[in-house]
RNA sequence: UGUCCUGUGGUGUAACUGGCAACACGUCUGACUCUGGAUCAGAAGAGUCCAGGUUCGAGCCCUGGCAGGACAACCA
């Protein structure tokens, strides 16, 4: 193990194997599926991608990479009433951002509408599909329940000619929505509900985002997915657990295509659940629509675009995805694992900078009024190649309010009256006076510095217990900082029967600090640039920034053992 | 009173054709440190849903239970 790390370097986290890899290995060994591997990522363009999709993307594209195969991007756009090009665009952007590419293999289920329609006609001609004139409620009732078999539709035994005629009329738009459907003739008595003469085409007089008004009948998911896989030469069609019961229908339909012995294989895995958030598109859409968050890219959202804006990196998401593994066990992953993954990546890569988000003015009384100097600071102690920078120092500074306590408790070893601490990369300072306003609120500290400790070390070998970050008041860049906390206070907000998930929303999930001071280095940063504000956490520049007022998002805090100690009481 | 799937530390994942249950996160110590970060060293924590059985030996095999999830959209 140790050798492995040495050999590969620790930037390369060893890819874990999973049960799907094992099944592919077996298929390859047995010579099934032409000894090749071809997967696909098939989102419906009806919302933005979230971290759960990222798991699927990493899995599918990851398998292609591992086996020297291919992975397609395919939009499952068979329901025009919910889909939109806005979503298509965002999905492509997100997949690319994660670092995956489908080359020229971009497909849409709607590419196959014509073929699918032909196939439906084939089934009718073979006596394997029929038009049902009953309404949704009646059909549903006849379908039975999981424990009771279904009844046969009175329209099940229409002649082929009649079915051909009716389906043609459906296609031509002669019927109203909901008045007729095309059903596959399978078996109403089977225990699997999906096999009880499933509906394969329905009338929808909706404009499709790609085919416009060309069609007024659209195939159902079950009637499109397996066939699309088949036509694209997909060998392993990986989807989530809830499609397990669809597999017999998937196989049945592909069997009807019977051109050769090649057969795509559906394999199901457990979708990702994360603590303190919700992951269904419906719920995320609700949060957006009802204004509980500021859009799909709100940094509190588990969407890819939200995580990106929050400051997550593709690497951190991929490492996270690899760490959680792939199984058929429905579980709940602790967000702390996600947070660990960003910290791990940003620790190695993020530019260090000093920033004070809760400012307290400090005056160095023995430092000349008009003097200022430049002090050298390390850009990233984890990566010396990132070099050093100069940080301006002067008589008036800001430090973090939390770094001062007038009456320090045990184990608090930051600044307090009479105590000496180090200002990072600068000097040792000692607090002499505490200035307060009429309410007794501390407004300013008067300190003295030791000129001999320049750079942060005292020639007499004197030690201090704490090192504080600081910013020179007159050089500081004033900016807004947004702090984020979990969107929900409950580990599983969607997991309560009879209680709406929104009941568990955390009212303090967003905290805006309008007056923060950052060292001048951040001046030229671009949106999404990552920084570590020393001792505070990782932050990145938000799109909302203007040249006059930069806005930073806190991605995640640094691990903080003092905060833990403090909370112990 | 159906079919299918799943049960391994707090969480997630491992354990080759049976061989002392391993790793990561989290938690807790300690060392080091110009970030109470990082790093390093260490600890606690499961006897693998239950009960039988086969075996020298079972998380892995057999039998029977139990628990949880999915399935009754003209959603995907």
């Amino acid at each position: 193990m140790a050798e492995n790390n040495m050999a590969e370097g620790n930037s390369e986290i060893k890819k874990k194997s999973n049960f799907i890899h094992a099944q592919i290995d077996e298929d390859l060994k047995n010579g099934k599926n032409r000894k090749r591997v071809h997967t696909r990522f098939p989102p419906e363009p009806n919302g933005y991608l979230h971290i759960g999709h990222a798991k699927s993307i990493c899995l599918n594209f990851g398998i292609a990479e591992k086996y020297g195969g291919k992975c397609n991007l395919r939009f499952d756009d068979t329901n025009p009433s919910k889909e939109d090009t806005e979503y298509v665009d965002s999905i492509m952007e997100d997949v690319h951002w994660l670092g995956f590419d489908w080359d020229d293999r971009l497909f849409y289920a709607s590419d196959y509408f014509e073929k699918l329609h032909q196939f439906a006609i084939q089934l009718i001609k073979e006596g394997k599909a029929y038009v049902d004139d009953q309404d949704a409620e009646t059909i549903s009732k006849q379908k039975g329940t999981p424990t009771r078999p279904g009844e046969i539709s009175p329209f099940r035994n229409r002649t082929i000619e009649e079915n051909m005629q009716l389906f043609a009329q459906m296609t031509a738009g002669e019927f109203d929505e909901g008045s007729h459907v095309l059903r596959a003739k399978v078996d109403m008595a089977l225990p699997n509900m999906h096999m009880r003469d499933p509906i394969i085409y329905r009338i929808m007089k909706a404009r499709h985002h790609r085919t416009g008004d060309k069609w007024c009948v659209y195939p159902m998911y079950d009637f499109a997915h397996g066939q699309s896989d088949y036509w694209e030469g997909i060998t392993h069609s990986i989807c989530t657990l809830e499609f397990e019961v669809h597999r017999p229908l998937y196989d049945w339909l592909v069997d009807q295509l019977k051109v050769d012995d090649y057969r795509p294989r559906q394999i199901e895995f457990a979708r990702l659940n994360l603590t303190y958030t919700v992951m269904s598109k419906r719920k995320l859409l609700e949060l957006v629509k009802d204004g509980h968050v500021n859009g799909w890219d709100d940094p509190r959202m588990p969407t890819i675009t939200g995580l990106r804006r929050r400051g997550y990196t593709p690497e951190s998401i991929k490492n996270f995805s690899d760490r959680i593994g792939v199984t058929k066990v429905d579980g709940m992953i602790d967000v702390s694992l996600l947070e660990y993954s960003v910290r791990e990546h940003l620790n190695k890569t993020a530019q260090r900078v000093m920033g004070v988000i809760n400012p307290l003015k400090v005056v160095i009384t023995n430092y000349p009024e008009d003097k200022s100097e430049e002090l050298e600071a390390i850009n990233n102690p984890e990566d010396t190649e990132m070099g050093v920078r100069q940080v301006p120092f002067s008589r008036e500074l800001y430090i973090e309010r939390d770094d001062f306590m007038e009456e320090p408790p045990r184990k608090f070893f930051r600044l307090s009256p009479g105590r000496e601490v180090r200002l990072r990369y600068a000097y040792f300072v000692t607090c002499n006076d505490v200035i307060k306003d009429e309410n007794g609120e501390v407004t300013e500290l008067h300190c003295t510095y030791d000129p001999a400790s320049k750079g942060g070390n005292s020639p007499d070998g004197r030690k201090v217990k704490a090192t504080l970050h600081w910013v020179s008041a007159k050089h500081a860049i004033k900016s807004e900082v947004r702090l984020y906390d979990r969107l929900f206070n409950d580990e599983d907000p969607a997991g309560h029967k009879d209680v709406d998930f929104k009941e568990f929303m955390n009212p303090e999930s967003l905290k805006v600090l309008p007056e923060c001071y950052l060292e001048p280095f951040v001046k030229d940063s671009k949106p999404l640039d990552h920084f570590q504000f020393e001792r505070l956490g990782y932050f990145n520049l938000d799109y909302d920034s203007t040249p006059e007022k930069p806005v930073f998002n806190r991605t995640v805090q640094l691990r903080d053992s003092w905060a833990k100690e403090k909370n112990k009481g």
Side-chain angles (χ1 to χ4, degrees):
Chain A
M1 224 200 110
E3 310 154 9
N4 255 340
N5 278 339
M6 296 306 275
E8 295 173 19
N10 44 14
S11 63
E12 197 57 42
I13 288 180
K14 199 153 180 272
K15 293 270 185 273
K16 277 203 275 187
S17 192
N18 60 52
F19 82 100
I20 296 178
H21 297 299
Q23 292 193 4
I24 293 174
D25 289 338
E26 209 183 301
D27 287 345
L28 255 21
K29 202 172 67 191
N30 297 339
K32 278 187 205 154
N33 290 325
R34 297 176 182 156
K35 288 198 168 289
R36 62 192 179 82
V37 175
H38 200 154
T39 56
R40 103 266 91 113
F41 172 63
E44 182 187 14
N46 67 343
Y48 281 67
L49 260 25
H50 55 63
I51 180 82
H53 294 106
K55 176 181 180 183
S56 174
I57 292 166
C58 293
L59 214 209
N60 279 296
F61 282 94
I63 284 170
E65 277 171 17
K66 172 171 174 156
Y67 292 94
K70 291 172 177 165
C71 180
N72 297 358
L73 174 62
R74 180 169 73 230
F75 288 99
D76 228 326
D77 55 351
T78 55
N79 184 354
S81 67
K82 291 188 176 174
E83 297 151 6
D84 195 272
T85 45
E86 173 197 354
Y87 300 125
V88 170
D89 295 341
S90 76
I91 288 168
M92 293 199 281
E93 184 187 354
D94 288 348
V95 175
H96 271 149
W97 179 74
L98 281 171
F100 296 106
D101 191 40
W102 51 88
D103 297 317
D104 57 348
R105 297 179 310 280
L106 170 62
F107 300 102
Y108 294 82
S110 53
D111 291 340
Y112 309 120
F113 281 172
E114 192 61 53
K115 278 172 107 168
L116 255 7
H117 194 261
Q118 286 305 314
F119 180 48
I121 289 170
Q122 178 197 319
L123 290 184
I124 294 172
K125 286 181 176 162
E126 291 171 355
K128 291 172 182 163
Y130 62 97
V131 172
D132 197 323
D133 300 356
Q134 303 176 104
D135 61 29
E137 200 187 333
T138 310
I139 290 177
S140 163
K141 221 169 261 172
Q142 279 171 357
K143 225 165 204 174
T145 70
T147 56
R148 217 186 312 277
E151 305 157 32
I152 288 185
S153 162
F155 300 97
R156 197 174 204 259
N157 291 315
R158 288 220 243 237
T159 64
I160 289 171
E161 292 69 32
E162 201 179 349
N163 282 317
M164 287 294 288
Q165 172 62 28
L166 287 166
F167 190 52
Q169 288 178 274
M170 280 172 66
T171 305
E174 294 176 23
F175 298 133
D176 290 337
E177 280 188 21
S179 64
H180 299 262
V181 288
L182 184 68
R183 295 228 253 167
K185 198 183 282 185
V186 190
D187 187 341
M188 290 305 287
L190 251 21
N192 185 332
M193 299 288 294
H194 295 274
M195 296 296 268
R196 322 240 262 230
D197 289 8
I199 291 168
I200 58 178
Y201 259 97
R202 76 303 206 171
I203 299 168
M204 283 187 104
K205 300 195 172 166
R207 184 177 181 81
H208 188 277
H209 68 101
R210 293 187 72 240
T211 60
D213 295 319
K214 182 175 179 195
W215 297 92
C216 47
V217 289
Y218 291 94
M220 299 286 288
Y221 162 84
D222 283 312
F223 194 68
H225 205 95
Q227 291 94 302
S228 304
D229 285 342
Y230 183 87
W231 288 321
E232 288 175 23
I234 301 303
T235 55
H236 300 270
S237 181
I238 297 162
C239 61
T240 46
L241 249 27
E242 66 269 26
F243 291 101
E244 235 157 9
V245 279
H246 293 241
R247 198 185 331 133
L249 178 56
Y250 178 104
D251 291 337
W252 187 88
L253 252 6
V254 173
D255 276 346
Q256 307 310 310
L257 245 27
K258 58 182 173 197
V259 179
D260 50 32
D261 62 355
Y262 147 70
R263 190 72 27 100
R265 175 182 183 183
Q266 178 179 305
I267 302 174
E268 310 86 9
F269 72 99
R271 65 164 0 113
L272 169 67
N273 294 304
L274 257 192
T275 54
Y276 300 104
T277 191
V278 292
M279 211 69 104
S280 86
K281 277 193 205 168
R282 202 209 91 226
K283 293 192 177 71
L284 295 175
L285 180 64
E286 196 176 330
L287 292 175
V288 173
K289 284 239 159 93
D290 298 349
H292 294 101
V293 295
N294 304 313
W296 288 99
D297 66 344
D298 188 301
R300 292 167 292 180
M301 291 282 273
T303 50
I304 306 288
T305 180
L307 291 167
R308 174 168 59 227
R309 188 171 178 187
R310 174 80 170 256
Y312 277 76
T313 58
E315 290 85 346
S316 64
I317 291 172
K318 286 192 273 192
N319 286 162
F320 168 74
S321 171
D322 202 62
R323 245 185 280 260
I324 60 179
V326 178
T327 63
K328 299 181 78 121
V329 187
D330 235 322
M332 173 85 68
I333 308 258
D334 202 304
V335 259
S336 63
L337 192 59
L338 218 208
E339 295 177 343
Y340 170 81
S341 298
V342 232
R343 284 199 197 99
E344 177 190 50
H345 183 230
L346 259 16
N347 176 48
K348 289 187 211 133
T349 56
Q351 166 76 43
R352 266 59 168 178
V353 111
M354 291 196 285
V356 173
I357 62 172
N358 242 305
L360 173 61
K361 173 78 79 67
V362 170
V363 179
I364 311 293
T365 52
N366 60 340
Y367 195 90
E369 298 250 3
D370 48 2
K371 183 180 173 183
S372 68
E373 60 188 310
E374 304 255 285
L375 300 164
E376 185 173 286
I378 295 165
N379 286 334
N380 184 350
E382 303 291 316
D383 180 5
T384 49
E385 289 192 4
M386 287 178 71
V388 296
R389 69 185 184 285
Q390 303 298 316
V391 184
F393 184 88
S394 63
R395 187 170 199 263
E396 295 198 353
L397 313 168
Y398 292 110
I399 64 164
E400 212 65 61
R401 205 160 261 280
D402 288 352
D403 284 340
F404 173 79
M405 278 186 110
E406 195 167 13
E407 288 164 32
R410 242 172 60 79
K411 291 192 176 175
F412 179 88
F413 43 83
R414 276 111 97 144
L415 197 59
S416 56
R419 195 182 281 176
E420 183 174 51
V421 298
R422 169 169 39 232
L423 293 181
R424 183 148 222 222
Y425 301 123
Y427 297 98
F428 283 12
V429 296
T430 304
C431 176
N432 305 308
D433 280 306
V434 180
I435 317 296
K436 298 177 185 174
D437 62 15
E438 60 277 12
N439 302 319
E441 182 98 347
V442 178
T443 55
E444 200 172 295
L445 263 24
H446 286 182
C447 300
T448 49
Y449 82 118
D450 173 7
S453 64
K454 180 169 178 176
N457 286 301
S458 171
D460 63 10
R462 183 162 102 245
K463 300 271 186 218
V464 287
K465 211 71 198 268
T467 301
L468 311 187
H469 59 278
W470 52 273
V471 169
S472 164
K474 77 173 158 204
H475 300 93
I477 294 196
K478 188 173 162 183
S479 70
E480 175 179 316
V481 170
R482 299 172 182 169
L483 305 182
Y484 301 100
D485 198 357
R486 42 187 60 142
L487 242 193
F488 296 91
N489 283 321
D490 190 89
E491 274 205 356
D492 185 14
H496 300 263
K497 293 218 185 328
D498 309 319
V499 188
D500 186 81
F501 72 101
K502 294 191 297 305
E503 296 293 313
F504 300 99
M505 289 200 75
N506 175 9
E508 287 164 27
S509 58
L510 168 63
K511 200 173 286 174
V512 177
L513 305 177
E515 201 175 314
C516 304
Y517 296 99
L518 310 178
E519 67 167 89
F521 187 87
V522 303
K523 194 172 60 222
D524 300 319
S525 45
K526 300 182 298 298
L528 260 36
D529 279 355
H530 303 279
F531 296 95
Q532 183 195 99
F533 290 4
E534 296 217 29
R535 304 208 301 135
L536 295 178
Y538 297 98
F539 295 74
N540 75 337
L541 193 72
D542 193 81
Y543 311 127
D544 287 349
S545 297
T546 61
E548 298 72 43
K549 188 171 196 185
V551 176
F552 283 87
N553 296 313
R554 184 174 69 193
T555 309
V556 66
Q557 284 175 274
L558 254 31
R559 282 185 61 204
D560 186 350
S561 48
W562 162 243
K564 267 182 209 159
E565 187 66 41
K566 204 168 47 176
N567 290 333
K568 281 182 192 167

